[in-house]
């Protein structure tokens, strides 16, 4: 693989896509996807015309993404920004597409990746970040999934667990990322809950509603992030909170606990606290223990370390953090927060600055940079 050749061709291919009518950001994404494909394909099958190959593949990926974005915007136009409470409206074909992409011939991981890319409108990079894998790995997974289903009939819908997982990941991207898909995810999950009586579907809907209820308070007027402890709880949507708690209680009463119900229980405890200081952190740690047992997820254990730090003190939180992989997303930011609470401002400021460089989006980067600057100012005063 001639990496120097790829680097030299990248700006030329990007320029060709822009001249063909692609906006610069979309062209950049398409060229990046084409480069990932080249790294995968070229070692075994090098093209005669490298530039022509890259232009063709990048333009095709740009068109695929443009079609996906158009379809997503058309679906989002069907509803208002805030999801309506109560029963779901008439079912459109979007939820059915989720089931069809979760085809039985695919593994759950491949089905989820394919659905996020083809129906959810997420980029390969966003999906890779959600799964904590390199972008090239995710590109290969999606390509294999496309090849697998290219010759099969889509008359066998996939299983509910896969569709629920996809809806959860799309909501997460809409809630915390650059693509606004949160309300669309809630709409589809309402439809799924109306069609399928399953406690984990109900748990997912409750989780979405409880998180979405805090959305208006998550950013300041200038667009900067507002941490949970500093949010104006008067801006939380009490109607969504009440609905989420009601749905969660009914799901938990069935005594078939799953990860989404456990996550919703944690969100409900945050929503129930009149102030940040009155949060029941001991019970939240207990729910994180349940969630870790259900998922064995390192991200869950990272969030648990924060809760332990609140319940038992920052040094206990740092001890819980010590056993986790430092390369985990937001690990450095969590370490910075716990060191700040422990009074080690120098270490906290340094770690906040490091975490800012690792941040997945501009808003989070700016937030961490400001925290580092604030601590450095306190140390200098």
């Amino acid at each position: 693989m001639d990496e120097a050749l790829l680097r030299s061709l990248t700006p030329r291919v990007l320029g060709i896509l822009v001249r063909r009518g692609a906006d610069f950001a979309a062209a950049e994404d398409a060229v990046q996807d084409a480069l990932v494909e080249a790294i995968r394909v070229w070692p075994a099958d090098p093209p005669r015309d490298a530039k022509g190959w890259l232009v063709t593949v990048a333009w095709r990926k740009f068109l695929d993404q443009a079609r996906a974005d158009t379809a997503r915007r058309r679906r989002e136009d069907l509803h208002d920004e805030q999801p309506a409470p109560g029963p779901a409206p008439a079912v459109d074909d979007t939820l059915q597409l989720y089931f069809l992409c979760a085809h039985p011939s695919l593994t759950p991981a491949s089905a989820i990746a394919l659905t996020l890319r083809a129906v959810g409108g997420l980029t390969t990079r966003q999906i890779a970040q959600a799964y904590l894998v390199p972008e090239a790995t995710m590109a290969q997974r999606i390509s294999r999934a496309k090849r697998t289903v290219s010759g099969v009939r889509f008359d066998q819908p996939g299983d509910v667990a896969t569709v629920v997982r996809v809806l959860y990941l799309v909501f997460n991207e809409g809630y915390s990322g650059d693509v606004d898909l949160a309300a669309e995810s809630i709409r589809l999950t309402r439809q799924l809950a109306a069609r399928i009586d399953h406690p984990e579907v109900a748990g997912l809907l409750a989780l979405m509603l409880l998180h979405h209820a805090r959305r208006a308070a998550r950013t300041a007027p200038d667009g900067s992030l507002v941490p949970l402890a500093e949010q104006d709880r008067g801006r939380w949507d009490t109607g969504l909170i009440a609905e989420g708690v009601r749905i969660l209680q009914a799901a938990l009463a069935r005594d078939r606990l799953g990860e989404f119900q456990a996550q919703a229980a944690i969100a409900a405890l945050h929503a129930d606290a009149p102030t940040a200081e009155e949060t029941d952190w001991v019970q939240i740690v207990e729910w994180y223990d349940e969630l870790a047992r259900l998922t064995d997820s390192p991200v869950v254990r990272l969030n648990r370390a924060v809760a332990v730090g609140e319940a038992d003190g920052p040094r206990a939180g740092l001890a819980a953090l010590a056993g986790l992989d430092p390369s985990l997303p937001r690990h450095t930011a969590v370490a910075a927060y716990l060191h700040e609470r422990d009074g080690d401002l120098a270490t906290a400021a340094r770690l906040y600055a490091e975490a800012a460089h690792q941040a997945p989006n501009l808003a989070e980067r700016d937030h961490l940079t400001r925290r580092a600057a604030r601590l450095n100012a306190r140390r200098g005063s």
Side-chain angles (χ1 to χ4, degrees), residues 34-35 60 88-89 100 157 202 210 260 277 288 313 325 357 377:
L35 292 174
R60 186 183 306 128
L100 292 176
L210 289 164
F260 296 119
E277 292 73 24
Y288 270 121
D325 184 352
H357 287 294

Side-chain angles (χ1 to χ4, degrees), residues 348-350 352-353 367-377:
R350 175 178 57 81
Y352 275 132
H367 169 70
L368 293 167
T369 300
R370 282 193 295 271
R371 292 192 79 99
R374 177 175 54 80
L375 291 187
N376 283 326

Side-chain angles (χ1 to χ4, degrees), residues 263-296:
Q263 287 192 55
I266 293 168
L269 286 167
H270 284 298
D272 187 55
T275 65
E277 292 73 24
E278 296 174 86
T279 304
D280 189 345
W281 286 105
V282 172
Q283 194 172 168
I284 287 175
V285 171
E286 292 174 355
W287 275 110
Y288 270 121
D289 289 337
E290 287 287 347
L291 191 55
R293 180 183 61 80
L294 289 165
T295 66
D296 195 29

Side-chain angles (χ1 to χ4, degrees), residues 225-227 229-230 333 336-353 356 365-381:
L225 292 180
V226 180
E230 301 171 19
Y337 173 74
L338 292 171
H339 278 291
E340 179 184 2
R341 289 209 53 228
D342 195 38
D344 187 352
L345 301 189
T347 300
R350 175 178 57 81
L351 290 173
Y352 275 132
R365 185 186 71 188
D366 289 347
H367 169 70
L368 293 167
T369 300
R370 282 193 295 271
R371 292 192 79 99
R374 177 175 54 80
L375 291 187
N376 283 326
R378 284 176 57 188
R379 291 171 57 219
S381 61

Side-chain angles (χ1 to χ4, degrees), residues 40-281:
R40 183 183 69 83
V41 171
W42 285 11
D45 186 19
R48 295 180 181 177
D49 178 5
K51 176 185 171 184
W53 189 98
L54 284 172
V55 169
T56 299
V57 173
W59 184 248
R60 186 183 306 128
K61 289 183 178 295
F62 164 73
L63 292 177
D64 287 345
Q65 183 58 41
R67 282 192 290 267
D69 288 344
T70 299
R72 174 175 57 79
R73 285 193 296 270
R74 188 162 56 247
R75 294 194 301 271
E76 290 175 346
D77 287 342
L78 296 175
H79 57 79
D80 295 328
E81 175 67 20
Q82 291 298 326
V91 177
D92 60 27
D93 62 354
T94 307
L95 188 59
Q96 185 64 19
L97 288 175
Y98 274 71
F99 273 96
L100 292 176
C101 283
H103 197 272
S105 63
L106 296 172
T107 65
S110 295
I112 290 170
L114 177 62
T115 313
L116 290 172
R117 188 72 178 90
V119 187
L122 275 63
T123 66
T124 304
R125 183 181 300 113
Q126 289 169 325
I127 302 169
Q129 289 173 347
Y131 272 91
L132 310 180
V133 299
E135 185 177 351
T137 300
M138 184 53 66
Q140 292 175 3
R141 185 178 298 175
I142 294 171
S143 294
R144 284 196 299 269
K146 289 179 178 178
R147 288 196 299 270
T148 299
V149 301
S150 62
V152 301
R153 292 178 59 194
F154 280 86
D155 55 0
Q156 293 179 277
D159 69 331
V160 174
T162 300
V163 174
V164 167
R165 174 66 55 185
V166 173
L167 288 168
Y168 170 70
L169 290 172
V170 173
F171 176 82
N172 277 350
E173 192 61 44
Y175 184 66
S176 62
D178 300 325
V179 181
D180 186 7
L181 292 170
E184 168 73 348
S185 303
I186 292 174
R187 184 180 72 86
L188 293 174
T189 305
R190 285 193 189 280
Q191 291 183 2
L192 186 61
R195 292 171 56 180
I196 299 174
D197 183 19
H198 193 292
E200 271 294 81
V201 175
L204 176 61
L205 179 56
L207 175 64
M208 289 178 171
L209 295 174
L210 289 164
H211 276 299
H212 207 68
R214 302 200 300 259
R215 184 166 189 168
R218 292 184 70 244
T219 54
D222 63 0
S224 59
L225 292 180
V226 180
L228 177 61
E230 301 171 19
Q231 288 176 13
D232 176 2
R233 300 184 178 219
R235 299 185 67 196
W236 290 1
D237 188 325
T238 55
L240 286 183
I241 291 173
E243 184 186 6
V245 169
R246 176 180 56 78
I247 292 171
L248 172 63
Q249 289 174 338
L252 291 175
R254 300 177 65 174
D255 199 24
R256 291 168 54 194
L257 183 65
E259 63 172 296
F260 296 119
Q261 295 168 73
Q263 287 192 55
I266 293 168
L269 286 167
H270 284 298
D272 187 55
T275 65
E277 292 73 24
E278 296 174 86
T279 304
D280 189 345
W281 286 105

